[in-house]
Amino acid sequence: MTQQKKPRTPEDFMRLAIELSQKNVAEGGGPFAAVIVKDGEVIATGCNQVTRANDPTAHAEVVAIRNACATLDDFQLEGCELYTSCEPCPMCLGAIYWARPAKVYYANSKEDAAAIDFDDQFIYEDLDKPTEKRKLPMIRLLADEAIEAFRDWQNKIDKVAY
């Protein structure tokens, strides 16, 4: 039995993400996977689980971020690299920015994804509009009451900033 070579280069880690995306398709999931690496070691992976979990947020990058944060016992991915089989969608991009990895590598582009009916362009376009002109109605309610939690946070001495 030959021992499989441990991934070491960015290309190796990306090949792992691509392999996981292909496996996910074969198992009935979407064609997306992500790998998170720290200090040259894979600490977490994630595959698209949207239809399997009935969870629209269960994109590969989000699943991988959740797994990595659990492994690291931290809410940020400081010093980590994220390898994803496709350029992140707006939701994943937001999650990635909040997780703060050092670097992101991707393989397929958002245009490649659009070509197989995973098109997020409408989200990018809608986010550029004022809230009152977006396709999804966004109605502000009880701002005067809600601001109290923000004041509480601002005045909290023992908060964990993030």
Side-chain angles (χ1 to χ4, degrees):
M1 177 164 84
T2 48
Q3 199 167 25
Q4 200 166 12
K5 185 181 149 193
K6 202 171 180 183
R8 288 283 170 217
T9 68
E11 291 80 6
D12 291 337
F13 295 122
M14 184 58 76
R15 284 187 186 101
L16 177 58
I18 292 166
E19 179 184 312
L20 290 170
S21 71
Q22 291 171 316
K23 183 177 182 221
N24 203 50
V25 170
E27 294 173 353
F32 306 99
V35 173
I36 298 180
V37 174
K38 183 164 187 167
D39 300 325
E41 299 291 328
V42 174
I43 61 164
T45 63
C47 291
N48 180 284
Q49 297 178 10
V50 171
T51 57
R52 190 174 297 131
N54 292 320
D55 180 353
T57 69
H59 288 202
E61 297 91 338
V62 172
V63 172
I65 288 168
R66 290 173 182 162
N67 292 340
C69 287
T71 296
L72 295 172
D73 194 27
D74 199 342
F75 55 85
Q76 293 185 335
L77 300 177
E78 185 176 327
C80 294
E81 296 175 340
L82 189 148
Y83 295 81
T84 180
S85 63
C86 187
E87 185 175 357
C89 75
M91 177 187 68
C92 292
L93 198 53
I96 291 166
Y97 271 97
W98 282 115
R100 296 180 175 89
K103 197 176 289 183
V104 176
Y105 296 87
Y106 68 94
N108 292 314
S109 70
K110 63 183 180 181
E111 292 80 14
D112 295 329
I116 61 164
D117 296 326
F118 289 96
D119 191 358
D120 301 322
Q121 190 57 38
F122 75 98
I123 298 173
Y124 291 107
E125 291 169 4
D126 220 38
L127 288 175
D128 279 340
K129 297 176 184 174
T131 54
E132 66 277 1
K133 296 198 180 209
R134 293 182 185 162
K135 289 179 185 174
L136 179 63
M138 300 192 67
I139 302 130
R140 191 170 184 192
L141 290 177
L142 303 177
D144 291 341
E145 293 176 32
I147 200 70
E148 289 303 318
F150 280 19
R151 288 185 185 126
D152 292 345
W153 173 260
Q154 191 173 25
N155 295 325
K156 187 172 176 63
I157 295 169
D158 61 344
K159 64 186 166 199
V160 177
Y162 58 95

